[in-house]
Amino acid sequence: MGELDLREKKLLSKNDVFAAFLTAFVIDRDETPISTDELSEASPDLISMMDRHVNHQFRDVIKCLRDDVGIKIALFGLENQTRPAKDMPIRIMSYDAFGYKELSKQAKSGEKLIPVITVVLYFGYDKPWTAPRSLSECCDVPKRLKRWFVDYPIHIVELGWLTDEEIDRLEGDLKMIALCLRHFRDPKR
């Protein structure tokens, strides 16, 4: 794991930065902003057994979002990327599936699960995200099987390619990073 990746994780693990991200990109503008009090830590470790082998994955950052009385309402994961990755939809699908598997183990009989939502935060500025944004872009699905194929789209926020309006919705460190990435991409701005 590179030093840049560790810095990104450290920054995004701060509740104020994470809350600012959710407020800017996840909730509707007319909704009340997410506060730091609504966020709590969740384990980034994903461990499962597959074919008698232990599979261990680590999420970059994951937080539990709670409502105003402290009830869990969602798990939000952020995955940092500095380069487009062709397997990103598969990785995100795997992270989310492991999250749901863990939630289902903890759920009481008849209890519904909270949603697991993952967003890729792309720090690249030399080119926009060019890798697949859905499972269907990773697969060659024959036309006659398409109606049976379950696609899995992913959410990508390209920090260096945000519009002025999107940057205005940001605040603090994340806004400064977006402005710097845009300046690296286009020094005239």
Side-chain angles (χ1 to χ4, degrees):
M1 185 178 309
E3 184 178 331
L4 181 58
D5 193 41
L6 289 172
R7 285 186 199 166
E8 291 166 354
K9 285 181 185 183
K10 186 169 178 81
L11 173 68
L12 292 168
S13 67
K14 295 180 178 182
N15 279 357
D16 62 327
V17 176
F18 203 95
F21 175 83
L22 292 179
T23 297
F25 293 107
V26 175
I27 64 169
D28 291 331
R29 285 182 161 209
D30 59 344
E31 292 185 60
T32 305
I34 303 287
S35 75
T36 57
D37 297 337
E38 295 174 88
L39 297 171
S40 61
E41 300 303 315
S43 175
D45 295 346
L46 302 169
I47 301 169
S48 69
M49 293 292 291
M50 296 179 97
D51 298 326
R52 291 185 247 165
H53 292 78
V54 174
N55 184 14
H56 197 178
Q57 296 177 313
F58 295 96
R59 307 262 340 221
D60 284 345
V61 181
I62 188 161
K63 301 269 184 182
C64 182
L65 180 63
R66 297 176 183 275
D67 65 11
D68 55 355
V69 292
I71 297 172
K72 293 180 184 179
I73 58 174
L75 285 176
F76 273 98
L78 286 179
E79 296 301 320
N80 306 321
Q81 283 296 121
T82 52
R83 288 183 296 284
K86 67 180 183 177
D87 68 339
M88 190 53 70
I90 297 164
R91 287 174 41 200
I92 299 301
M93 186 172 61
S94 172
Y95 294 154
D96 291 351
F98 280 124
Y100 283 117
K101 187 174 183 176
E102 191 58 38
L103 287 170
S104 70
K105 283 186 210 172
Q106 299 169 11
K108 296 176 180 129
S109 179
E111 181 181 32
K112 292 205 175 205
L113 306 179
I114 61 173
V116 178
I117 300 166
T118 302
V119 178
V120 175
L121 195 52
Y122 177 56
F123 288 86
Y125 60 86
D126 55 338
K127 64 180 178 180
W129 184 270
T130 55
R133 293 175 180 262
S134 66
L135 184 60
S136 61
E137 293 178 46
C138 298
C139 301
D140 186 13
V141 183
K143 185 177 179 180
R144 64 184 180 171
L145 300 178
K146 283 193 190 274
R147 69 183 177 125
W148 295 102
F149 179 78
V150 178
D151 203 359
Y152 199 87
I154 60 173
H155 307 284
I156 300 170
V157 173
E158 300 176 74
L159 279 178
W161 301 86
L162 297 177
T163 64
D164 289 338
E165 183 181 322
E166 290 169 322
I167 289 175
D168 286 343
R169 289 188 72 191
L170 291 171
E171 57 185 52
D173 293 337
L174 213 47
K175 184 172 190 167
M176 292 307 300
I177 290 171
L179 288 168
C180 287
L181 291 173
R182 184 170 71 179
H183 179 74
F184 293 156
R185 178 175 60 84
D186 183 4
K188 296 178 189 114
R189 286 191 86 170

